[in-house]
Amino acid sequence: MDLFKICPKCCGSANASIAHTVGTLIKVNVTCELCQHSYSWYSQPFLGSVPAGNLAVSSAILYSGALPTKVLRLMNFMNIPTISHQTFFNHQRHILYPAVLRFWKHQQMQHIAKYRDPTESLVLGGDGRADTPGHSAKYGSYSMMDLKQGVVLDIQLVQSNEVSSSNAMEKEGLIRSLKWFEDNNLQFQTLITDQHVQIVKFVREQTPHITHYFDVWHVAKGLKKKMVKISKEKDCKEVGEWIKSITNHMYWVAASTPNGDSEEMVSKWLSVANHVQNKHRGHSDQVANCLHGELVGHDRKKNWLKPGTKACVKTEELLTATRLKTSVEKLSPIHQTSDVEAFHSTINHFAPKMIGFSFHGMQCRLLLAALHFNENSARPQALTKDGVARYSIQFPKYKSGGYITREKKINQSFRYVNTLLRSIRKIVDVTTIRSTSEEPMPTPRPLCAAFTRPQKTDAIQAMKSRFRKAEI
Ligand SMILES: [Zn+2]
Ligand SMILES: [Zn+2]
């Protein structure tokens, strides 16, 4: 405030006072005692009618994937004047969200332009994500990824009250995504997903021209779970020793059949039911013998399952079950959906599960995760100053003490944030908050719209009388 005490016109003594603060903005009014010159000083410039510093806070929170409640509380604890939640949400809805949506659509169009060339065939991986663990999710999203390039092409957000139940969100997400591909005239023949029952049925019945494969990891995971269960039964402990080789066999079945021939895959698969009983010849017409050659050393002394024992019968039943055979028929031979899983963990950074977001907030965070993923997924390996490739050693919990070696990637980049910040300036130039006539995106009705809201006084009365009864 000392700096305002001298009049810039006559160098006389001036009176200055803080007129008001708006979020991070301070306005100071100054009047000269000598020459009466008066002026107002603002601590930050404006973008349109919006104080630039306030918008900087909102955009930094959203685009870094931080949570407004925590960041604003942090600033309060540090005694830094800042914006309110309401201001954040206004900025998000009218400025930040349109910027994200605009840039995302632009990026989508750039990607799909590549597939106009009919020789470039598209292999898609799809999977749904629920915003909370369990079966009562408010939002479900469906991601579609180009598995050849590792690029997220489309994401659809579904709110649970738009469909019959939380469970139906995944299928609805897929339907909307397929429509997006159709609207944009993008043809594809191959779709790889997990074995979500409704999706399998839908693709089989509604889109017979699409070849539907199952991600091997998901099928193997389901089988592993069942084998673990058997191994815990009485007299079945040895089944546990076979889990690893049997799931490895499943990966081999898929990988060794690049044309995805379902009969060949099933024949290869079934041979393992003989193999675990130390029987390696005469499996079937297509796959007469095991392909592993003469077993030597450790491999010979495996804990083979003895025919007729409970462990053997149960395992054989499991491995040859019709349901598993129909899954094996559709194992994806070349591409898998692990990149979609990786994208879903990127979403977790931008929209942690268990945090309730508004529809716009959720949509924004999904698209930001996609922008981030697409910019960073194909990062090259980092090099030392001398040009040697860098690796890191990690001790993941599931290895219980064991380690894995990973390529160290170069640092993540955030170029998309710079683009978004530039876009914000353009949007603010033509927007005044609260005066936008167009809704940025039609949003579904809130979940509670379907419920009857009681008179608050009645509700309080009911609660109080319940407590009184409890005391008696
Ligand atoms: Zn003066
Ligand atoms: Zn064998």
Side-chain angles (χ1 to χ4, degrees):
M1 296 303 289
D2 285 348
L3 296 173
F4 296 110
K5 284 182 182 162
I6 300 164
C7 171
K9 276 207 164 158
C10 73
C11 291
S13 155
N15 285 322
S17 60
I18 294 177
H20 58 249
T21 60
V22 181
T24 62
L25 166 84
I26 302 169
K27 180 186 178 189
V28 178
N29 285 340
V30 188
T31 310
C32 173
E33 285 173 5
L34 204 62
C35 75
Q36 305 304 315
H37 169 60
S38 72
Y39 64 96
S40 295
W41 179 86
Y42 296 90
S43 63
Q44 54 188 250
F46 286 78
L47 292 174
S49 61
V50 188
N54 291 349
L55 195 52
V57 172
S58 302
S59 46
I61 290 175
L62 184 67
Y63 296 163
S64 66
L67 301 174
T69 338
K70 293 199 173 172
V71 175
L72 297 181
R73 193 183 298 155
L74 174 138
M75 292 173 82
N76 284 329
F77 286 168
M78 292 177 73
N79 228 356
I80 301 172
T82 191
I83 56 173
S84 66
H85 281 96
Q86 196 49 53
T87 303
F88 170 82
F89 289 119
N90 282 340
H91 288 169
Q92 173 172 278
R93 189 186 179 96
H94 298 287
I95 302 169
L96 309 179
Y97 173 74
V100 174
L101 191 64
R102 202 178 280 185
F103 185 38
W104 169 246
K105 287 193 166 162
H106 173 73
Q107 218 195 48
Q108 269 186 321
M109 289 307 125
Q110 277 187 327
H111 285 306
I112 65 179
K114 290 181 205 155
Y115 303 109
R116 297 278 181 243
D117 174 5
T119 57
E120 191 64 51
S121 70
L122 196 49
V123 175
L124 291 179
D127 200 7
R129 174 191 182 269
D131 70 332
T132 46
H135 298 284
S136 57
K138 180 180 179 193
Y139 300 118
S141 59
Y142 203 86
S143 323
M144 280 283 221
M145 186 180 277
D146 163 9
L147 294 181
K148 284 184 178 170
Q149 313 286 334
V151 167
V152 181
L153 289 180
D154 184 47
I155 314 171
Q156 295 291 336
L157 174 62
V158 182
Q159 188 170 294
S160 61
N161 64 346
E162 293 182 273
V163 287
S164 59
S165 72
S166 292
N167 219 355
M169 292 193 290
E170 185 154 342
K171 182 177 133 195
E172 177 64 20
L174 174 75
I175 292 172
R176 291 186 195 176
S177 199
L178 290 175
K179 183 162 187 315
W180 181 83
F181 278 90
E182 198 183 307
D183 291 348
N184 285 284
N185 213 1
L186 269 187
Q187 313 284 335
F188 66 94
Q189 272 90 46
T190 312
L191 174 67
I192 303 165
T193 68
D194 60 12
Q195 296 162 278
H196 191 282
V197 181
Q198 292 180 7
I199 293 217
V200 174
K201 186 168 182 278
F202 177 83
V203 177
R204 187 180 61 229
E205 289 171 358
Q206 306 295 324
T207 58
H209 57 284
I210 295 176
T211 307
H212 190 191
Y213 287 130
F214 296 145
D215 176 63
V216 181
W217 182 83
H218 281 97
V219 181
K221 188 175 122 185
L223 178 67
K224 186 181 166 184
K225 231 168 129 183
K226 287 181 182 151
M227 287 188 73
V228 168
K229 209 175 149 200
I230 294 179
S231 72
K232 284 182 180 155
E233 290 183 27
K234 198 168 168 268
D235 300 331
C236 294
K237 209 170 138 252
E238 59 265 47
V239 176
E241 293 173 40
W242 283 101
I243 294 176
K244 202 156 181 207
S245 355
I246 290 178
T247 46
N248 282 348
H249 180 71
M250 184 174 277
Y251 282 97
W252 172 79
V253 165
S256 66
T257 321
N259 62 1
D261 184 87
S262 51
E263 262 181 54
E264 188 183 331
M265 285 200 285
V266 172
S267 302
K268 283 177 177 169
W269 171 247
L270 291 176
S271 71
V272 82
N274 285 338
H275 175 87
V276 296
Q277 305 176 45
N278 202 9
K279 195 177 159 212
H280 311 285
R281 298 185 175 281
H283 302 314
S284 64
D285 291 347
Q286 292 101 324
V287 181
N289 305 321
C290 286
L291 296 174
H292 50 60
E294 197 66 32
L295 293 171
V296 284
H298 178 71
D299 284 336
R300 271 185 81 158
K301 295 191 195 93
K302 279 197 168 163
N303 200 354
W304 305 109
L305 301 181
K306 287 193 193 66
T309 58
K310 185 181 169 194
C312 185
V313 172
K314 287 242 166 192
T315 306
E316 195 168 359
E317 264 173 24
L318 179 67
L319 298 179
T320 58
T322 311
R323 194 174 137 67
L324 185 59
K325 275 196 276 184
T326 50
S327 302
V328 170
E329 279 177 354
K330 291 177 151 205
L331 286 180
S332 176
I334 298 167
H335 299 281
Q336 308 300 339
T337 60
S338 53
D339 276 353
V340 185
E341 308 281 328
F343 171 54
H344 284 183
S345 67
T346 303
I347 297 180
N348 290 344
H349 286 279
F350 284 88
K353 293 195 178 195
M354 308 305 289
I355 304 274
F357 293 103
S358 68
F359 192 83
H360 281 120
M362 193 67 192
Q363 177 81 357
C364 254
R365 284 163 191 267
L366 287 175
L367 300 183
L368 283 164
L371 290 169
H372 183 87
F373 185 91
N374 287 351
E375 183 171 318
N376 286 288
S377 64
R379 273 179 296 150
Q381 190 171 3
L383 303 175
T384 64
K385 269 184 209 155
D386 305 326
V388 181
R390 295 181 66 184
Y391 291 87
S392 67
I393 304 276
Q394 288 169 359
F395 295 87
K397 201 151 178 263
Y398 68 84
K399 283 265 178 183
S400 34
Y403 66 89
I404 50 172
T405 315
R406 281 219 164 124
E407 286 184 9
K408 218 179 163 84
K409 304 283 185 198
I410 61 164
N411 287 338
Q412 299 185 348
S413 65
F414 299 89
R415 288 191 300 276
Y416 61 97
V417 175
N418 293 332
T419 312
L420 289 171
L421 295 177
R422 277 199 304 275
S423 172
I424 283 177
R425 289 176 169 268
K426 286 186 202 145
I427 291 173
V428 175
D429 280 346
V430 292
T431 318
T432 18
I433 295 195
R434 294 195 192 91
S435 77
T436 37
S437 50
E438 57 165 335
E439 176 79 355
M441 182 196 177
T443 53
R445 276 149 48 90
L447 295 189
C448 60
F451 309 138
T452 29
R453 178 175 280 275
Q455 284 292 330
K456 207 179 226 175
T457 46
D458 295 346
I460 295 169
Q461 207 56 47
M463 182 199 77
K464 284 186 174 167
S465 67
R466 250 198 321 275
F467 276 110
R468 241 175 268 131
K469 273 181 205 144
E471 277 164 21
I472 297 163

